[in-house]
């Protein structure tokens, strides 16, 4: 079935576009469901569910907090991992002439 778009009126073209948008949304929903079913089947072949696999991935990326590498000698509760911006106490110590290696834990 081939449509001659040049012979269609604007109203017919707008109606066709509306039907195409609906058909595209429906096709995407159907393909997502098929992909999900295929992924669930593949996971089941290895004895897992998709929830098992996605929970494992989330659990492994969260909670990987870096351990502190530097400690404030004036207030041992203040630490810094060496990542991100330097805390003010580091700047103050360096301004007083301290070497960063003196602050290492």
């Amino acid at each position: 079935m081939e449509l001659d778009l040049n012979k269609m009126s604007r109203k017919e073209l707008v109606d066709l576009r509306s039907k195409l948008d609906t058909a595209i949304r429906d096709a995407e929903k159907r393909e997502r469901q098929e992909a999900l079913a295929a992924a669930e089947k593949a996971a089941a072949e290895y004895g897992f569910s998709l929830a098992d696999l996605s929970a494992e991935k989330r659990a492994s990326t969260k909670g990987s907090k870096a351990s502190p590498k530097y400690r404030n000698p004036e207030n041992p509760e203040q630490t810094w991992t060496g990542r991100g911006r330097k805390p003010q106490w580091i700047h103050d110590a360096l301004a007083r002439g301290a070497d960063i290696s003196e602050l290492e834990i």
Side-chain angles (χ1 to χ4, degrees):
M1 176 180 151
E2 189 172 322
L3 297 174
D4 188 0
L5 301 178
N6 293 324
K7 292 184 179 180
M8 295 177 77
S9 69
R10 186 182 59 80
K11 183 178 187 242
E12 291 172 328
L13 289 169
V14 169
D15 185 47
L16 178 62
R17 179 174 52 189
S18 173
K19 290 178 182 177
L20 280 173
D21 290 341
T22 301
I24 289 170
R25 279 192 304 273
D26 292 346
E28 183 177 346
K29 183 188 266 187
R30 184 177 56 251
E31 289 172 359
R32 281 180 184 268
Q33 290 172 344
E34 291 170 0
L36 181 61
E40 287 173 342
K41 181 181 176 186
E45 289 177 8
Y46 290 94
F48 297 104
S49 70
L50 285 182
D52 293 338
L53 297 176
S54 63
E56 185 176 307
K57 182 179 179 184
R58 272 187 257 120
S60 66
T61 58
K62 288 190 176 185
S64 59
K65 193 173 183 181
S67 58
K69 295 181 182 176
Y70 303 96
R71 176 169 280 124
N72 185 353
E74 296 173 7
N75 182 355
E77 293 179 3
Q78 292 180 326
T79 60
W80 180 49
T81 62
R83 296 181 182 174
R85 291 180 53 177
K86 291 178 185 162
Q88 187 61 46
W89 61 266
I90 294 271
H91 289 288
D92 294 342
L94 295 175
R96 286 191 305 267
D99 187 49
I100 192 86
S101 62
E102 297 172 14
L103 305 174
E104 289 179 354
I105 298 176

